[in-house]
Amino acid sequence: MELSRKTMKKLALLIAFAALAFTAFEWFDGAARAAVFLLDLLAPFLAGGAVAFVLNVPMRFIESKLLPTPGGKPTASRRVRRFLRPVSLLLTFLFVVLVILVLVLVIAPELVRTVAGLGVTIQNAVLRFLNWAEEMFANTPQVMEWLNSLTFNWQSINWQSLINQVVDVVKSGATSILSSAFSTAMNVFNGVADTFIAFFFACYLLLQKEKLGLQCRKALYALLPRKGADQVVEVFSLSHRIFSSFITGQCTEAVILGTMFFIVMSILNMPYAVLVGCTIAVTALIPIVGAFIGCGLGAFLLLMVSPMQALIFVAMFLILQQVEGNLIYPHVVGSSVGLPSIWVLAAVSIGGSLMGVAGMLLFIPMTSVIYTLFRQFVYRRLREKNLRIHASGVEERRVPPAKAERETDPDQG
């Protein structure tokens, strides 16, 4: 039995894949070390690419105001566009620095005052709790005996001395770490060097983004078949659109949520309104769990002042979360990510366990891209088979395949 050329090609590919898999298994340790070395080598460039992608969102907004493009065509000359591109980049950096400075100048003084008076605040809160407990359990001798011993032990603690000891330990530990070894200085130097490399690489990407995009497309169409290159361009365009929409929506939602907490807490005359509002705005950048982290910190601070205010704050948080989740989030983020809630939760869980907070932020849009591509593939295959799937069963389409290709399936599942 003679083998056809197509069968021989498949067998050759199968043998090559088996040989590659066997080699990878045999040299797994060496390949892992090589991969780690390569990632360390490319780390500043990957970081610079990530920074450029994030900064490109506000930079595009600034460019749209400086260089309006009615009908998709720029009206300014090429020389003017070349001049305004560095101006847009500079304004973007100034905007980011201004946001960071505002957060530092608002949060840092309030945080210092809070930490400085935390010992006295905790002691007063515990004493108030003990006084309340004594009034409640005055007729219970066993509880009163335990409270008296607890009060004696608690009042015997010198909180200011304890805080000073903790600060001294932190200072001595930091001093010993910074001055202990030459490797620490080298790590700091390498970190600074990588930061500069990432910064300049991000600037280069932002200044030359159209040229680099054109060069990448030329390389794709030169190396791949036309259909494969079209598919790669479509995937990258979809990824860029979803990631950009996710970053914009997440930042806008965080600012709105933090502002809402600041306004409501100020109206209710609650302490730490600025600190809690800024904290929730920052932590809300973490999907799903971020706002609850900010709620926990705010409730702890208010609990030291008044348990009733802490309860009011928690109730306020639940109400504002409902308003934000049902009214604000759908309009700000909308369906830009296009991911069902169960997959958002899965993406946050997997990304957080693998890469921490960065993984949470990365895996949601990445999972959305995979979900969208797979959904398109499923509907394309169903159209090719002239099938329609609904809750009551399966039925064949009564339209020709050519018309079915032009239809949009109403099912959004």
Side-chain angles (χ1 to χ4, degrees):
M1 179 179 179
E2 295 184 359
L3 296 176
S4 64
R5 180 177 298 178
K6 186 175 181 181
T7 305
M8 290 292 293
K9 185 177 181 180
K10 290 182 178 179
L11 286 175
L13 290 175
L14 182 61
I15 293 172
F17 176 77
L20 183 62
F22 177 77
T23 304
F25 179 78
E26 286 292 321
W27 299 94
F28 178 77
D29 291 338
R33 288 194 295 269
V36 171
F37 173 77
L38 186 62
L39 285 177
D40 290 339
L41 192 64
L42 297 178
F45 299 99
L46 295 175
V51 171
F53 187 87
V54 174
L55 292 181
N56 187 48
V57 175
M59 185 174 174
R60 280 191 307 167
F61 175 78
I62 294 174
E63 284 183 325
S64 66
K65 300 303 179 182
L66 296 178
L67 288 171
T69 54
K73 295 182 179 180
T75 56
S77 63
R78 187 174 181 181
R79 182 177 297 179
V80 173
R81 295 200 303 271
R82 283 185 176 180
F83 171 75
L84 291 180
R85 173 57 58 81
V87 174
S88 302
L89 180 60
L90 180 61
L91 291 177
T92 302
F93 279 120
L94 289 177
F95 170 74
V96 173
V97 171
L98 180 62
V99 171
I100 295 175
L101 283 178
V102 168
L103 288 176
V104 171
L105 293 177
V106 168
I107 294 179
E110 189 74 20
L111 190 61
V112 169
R113 287 194 296 267
T114 302
V115 173
L118 193 58
V120 177
T121 304
I122 293 175
Q123 186 174 7
N124 293 335
V126 173
L127 290 177
R128 286 196 300 269
F129 169 76
L130 293 175
N131 293 331
W132 171 81
E134 289 178 357
E135 294 177 0
M136 290 292 297
F137 301 100
N139 298 324
T140 309
Q142 294 85 354
V143 176
M144 290 301 299
E145 182 180 355
W146 176 75
L147 287 175
N148 290 331
S149 64
L150 185 61
T151 304
F152 174 77
N153 294 331
W154 184 265
Q155 290 178 340
S156 63
I157 299 175
N158 189 341
W159 285 97
Q160 192 60 43
S161 176
L162 182 61
I163 292 176
N164 292 336
Q165 290 178 8
V166 172
V167 172
D168 291 339
V169 169
V170 173
K171 287 182 178 179
S172 62
T175 303
S176 62
I177 290 174
L178 292 175
S179 60
S180 60
F182 175 74
S183 60
T184 303
M186 288 301 298
N187 289 334
V188 172
F189 176 78
N190 291 334
V192 172
D194 290 346
T195 301
F196 274 101
I197 293 174
F199 174 76
F200 287 112
F201 185 66
C203 292
Y204 175 76
L205 291 178
L206 291 172
L207 291 173
Q208 302 289 333
K209 52 186 178 181
E210 288 86 1
K211 182 179 179 180
L212 291 174
L214 180 60
Q215 291 175 348
C216 291
R217 286 196 298 272
K218 287 181 179 179
L220 278 176
Y221 282 96
L223 297 174
L224 298 178
R226 173 67 182 271
K227 186 177 180 181
D230 288 339
Q231 291 176 348
V232 172
V233 171
E234 181 182 355
V235 170
F236 275 96
S237 299
L238 176 65
S239 303
H240 181 269
R241 184 171 65 253
I242 290 178
F243 272 77
S244 299
S245 300
F246 176 74
I247 292 172
T248 305
Q250 208 57 33
C251 293
T252 306
E253 182 216 2
V255 171
I256 293 175
L257 190 61
T259 305
M260 288 169 56
F261 271 91
F262 168 73
I263 293 174
V264 175
M265 291 181 69
S266 299
I267 293 174
L268 297 178
N269 200 23
M270 288 184 174
Y272 308 117
V274 176
L275 179 60
V276 173
C278 292
T279 302
I280 289 180
V282 173
T283 56
L285 295 174
I286 305 174
I288 297 180
V289 299
F292 291 95
I293 296 174
C295 173
L297 295 175
F300 172 75
L301 292 175
L302 291 174
L303 183 63
M304 298 298 102
V305 177
S306 171
M308 184 56 65
Q309 285 192 340
L311 289 176
I312 295 174
F313 174 79
V314 172
M316 177 189 72
F317 172 81
L318 295 176
I319 295 173
L320 291 181
Q321 273 291 99
Q322 291 298 316
V323 173
E324 183 266 344
N326 296 316
L327 298 178
I328 298 176
Y329 191 86
H331 292 285
V332 174
V333 181
S335 58
S336 60
V337 177
L339 199 61
S341 301
I342 184 64
W343 295 114
V344 173
L345 181 61
V348 169
S349 301
I350 297 173
S353 61
L354 292 178
M355 301 172 59
V357 176
M360 294 181 183
L361 296 173
L362 177 65
F363 269 61
I364 288 182
M366 188 171 68
T367 306
S368 178
V369 172
I370 297 173
Y371 176 83
T372 303
L373 292 175
F374 182 72
R375 183 173 176 274
Q376 291 176 354
F377 169 76
V378 169
Y379 285 138
R380 185 172 66 250
R381 293 290 295 169
L382 290 176
R383 285 195 299 266
E384 291 173 357
K385 295 182 178 182
N386 284 336
L387 295 178
R388 182 186 294 274
I389 312 298
H390 47 78
S392 59
V394 182
E395 65 178 4
E396 291 190 6
R397 293 174 180 266
R398 296 183 179 181
V399 293
K403 186 177 180 181
E405 285 291 337
R406 297 192 296 269
E407 287 185 352
T408 301
D409 200 307
D411 182 14
Q412 298 297 320

